[in-house]
Amino acid sequence: MRITVIGCGYVGLVTGTCFAEAGHQVVCTDNDAERIATLKAGIVPIYEPHLDGLLTANSRANRLSFTCDATAAVNSGDAIFICVGTPPKENGEADLSAIDDVARLIATEAHTSKLVVEKSTVPAQTGQQLKRVLSVYRRDPSVDFRVASNPEFLREGTAVEDFLHPDRIVLGVEDEDSEAQLREIYRPILEAKFNCPAHLKGCPSAKPATLVVTTINSAELIKHASNSFLAMKISYANMIADLCEKVGADIKEVVHAMGLDPRIGPQFLNAGLGFGGFCLPKDVQAFVRLAERSGVNFHMLKEAELVNKRRIDLFIEKIRQALWVIKDKQVGILGLAFKANTDDIRFAPSLEVIRRLLAEGAQVRAYDQEAMDRTATIFPEIQFCREPHEVAQDADALLILTEWPEFRQLDWGHISELMSRPLVIDGRNLLDPATLMEHGFEYHCFGRHLEEPQRQFVPAPILKAASNAMQQS
Ligand code: UGA
């Protein structure tokens, strides 16, 4: 199949590359000429596991190409996937101007009939507007446009795996031809004939995806409803964590047992700093606005959003409680990305935490495996370190802001010796409190029951000296 992808951001790149990997002929375009030049040179401008290998292989196999020539791109595919951004406006609504631009481009430049597919996350009823724009601006009356919605469920960090081995593929269609065309496009993935190429190491073995065919409105709603539900689940876990702190329960124990109920499930119950990124926060806002415009007051979702915003206040309060005065304190940060396995810092909780620490006069040092370059463009005044031990040197506190698993493996005994004061405030409940306390740390996190004697744990060197003395006597 010949496919055009418009928009070479995170969704467009993964979509185009994976369709090429599935055997289709794909042309990708973007109005950012610099980005296209980078991609033509085989450089992937985002960090996404497996993407660079697949992009290079498929470009070499001539199944995947990039062009700035939008007219040529529009005319090369029978199906056009719209993958442009839908960022939030001031009032939280999704800004659909990029979708409108692309629709007018397709309407005026297409010489043959097209299936136009919304892949970008859009509010329900956008497909109806898309159809209208395509027909109003259509230049060639012999050209026919069909519209479909095919929302993506890609998680940053595992997007390639999610695309090639999805749980479900949702096709929002209004005619048989569109459904048949999309089924054909997804056939290699749907029939699970598509096996993991050797270079996709670590990819789970292929399992058949469930295909769901719906109306366009339902498909659009499924995406917003899914992300909003995940957001509510996280906020729910965070409220339980707050309650755990008050009644002396442990959030890890509570959510573990809750998650064993298949009706609840274990995922998205990790308490901490809350949800960030370019999807959940903006999709929750857009869904609330859509509900309001439709006369439905989605209080529950608004509350989930508020709970999420308050996580930062709570975290800063934990820092203040531990440090007393924040001004002039050396604060080390481990993790900047909005979650692990990405370099994305959009709406990352780390940004607001840093902003507030700087406003209070703290000296901030930071380390992240992937996200330091991006963060440096926002906060040139903070010091970026080559590795975590450098962050810890003479620090009054270390903050964990991203759940990078590597942070668990650090030599916490050594880190404790490097710090001015062995204090860790874990915004992701990532570390094992007992290990930290064994190394003499004062450790704070969200909703975990830390035994009082452990809080006042005697630093390891003193304990060792005491036990030696006992053995001698
Ligand atoms: C999210 C959805 O999970 C995808 O299904 C969806 O396709 C995507 O948005 C999208 O709309 O494109 P993503 O933004 O990559 O994916 O991130 P998530 O894995 O959902 O994590 C979002 C945030 O929630 C992160 O900041 C993460 O640290 C936080 N989180 C996640 C928690 O605080 N607790 C949890 O238990 C899980």
Side-chain angles (χ1 to χ4, degrees), residues 25 92 145 158 242 251 265 280 334 340 414 430-431 457:
Q25 200 64 40
F145 295 114
T158 53
D242 292 352
I251 186 68
L280 262 48
L334 295 181
H414 182 42
L430 181 75
L431 307 175
F457 205 85

Side-chain angles (χ1 to χ4, degrees), residues 233 255 258-269:
K233 209 173 169 191
V255 295
M258 281 171 64
L260 292 174
D261 182 336
R263 292 170 303 173
I264 297 174
Q267 294 186 40
F268 277 68
L269 288 173

Side-chain angles (χ1 to χ4, degrees), residues 428-460:
R428 294 296 182 179
N429 283 6
L430 181 75
L431 307 175
D432 174 32
T435 309
L436 271 273
M437 288 169 176
E438 253 169 54
H439 291 298
F441 276 96
E442 179 184 341
Y443 176 75
H444 301 276
C445 55
F446 284 99
R448 303 213 59 189
H449 183 54
L450 309 176
E451 292 290 347
E452 212 46 44
Q454 283 184 327
R455 274 187 205 278
Q456 291 154 7
F457 205 85
V458 186

Side-chain angles (χ1 to χ4, degrees), residues 152-154 156 223 227 268-270 276 279 338-339 403:
E152 52 86 13
F153 302 102
L154 310 174
E156 291 191 24
K223 174 61 197 262
N227 274 5
F268 277 68
L269 288 173
N270 288 334
C279 301
F338 84 95
K339 68 174 195 179
E403 58 272 37

Side-chain angles (χ1 to χ4, degrees), residues 247-317:
V247 303
D250 187 313
I251 186 68
K252 292 261 183 187
E253 292 173 355
V254 174
V255 295
H256 169 68
M258 281 171 64
L260 292 174
D261 182 336
R263 292 170 303 173
I264 297 174
Q267 294 186 40
F268 277 68
L269 288 173
N270 288 334
L273 267 172
F275 56 83
F278 203 59
C279 301
L280 262 48
K282 85 172 167 63
D283 289 355
V284 164
Q285 282 189 16
F287 207 35
V288 166
R289 296 291 99 77
L290 173 77
E292 272 170 1
R293 266 196 289 119
S294 315
V296 175
N297 203 337
F298 212 150
H299 278 302
M300 209 187 344
L301 195 51
K302 284 187 201 164
E303 192 54 37
E305 196 188 0
L306 269 179
V307 167
N308 198 53
K309 284 194 176 131
R310 285 200 296 262
R311 302 318 286 170
I312 308 281
D313 302 338
L314 274 177
F315 190 65
I316 297 290
E317 199 42 46

Side-chain angles (χ1 to χ4, degrees), residues 15 30 36 38 59 84 194 239 300 317 411 422 434:
T15 301
D30 196 292
I36 292 294
T38 309
S59 301
V84 293
F194 179 79
M239 289 308 297
M300 209 187 344
E317 199 42 46
D411 181 349

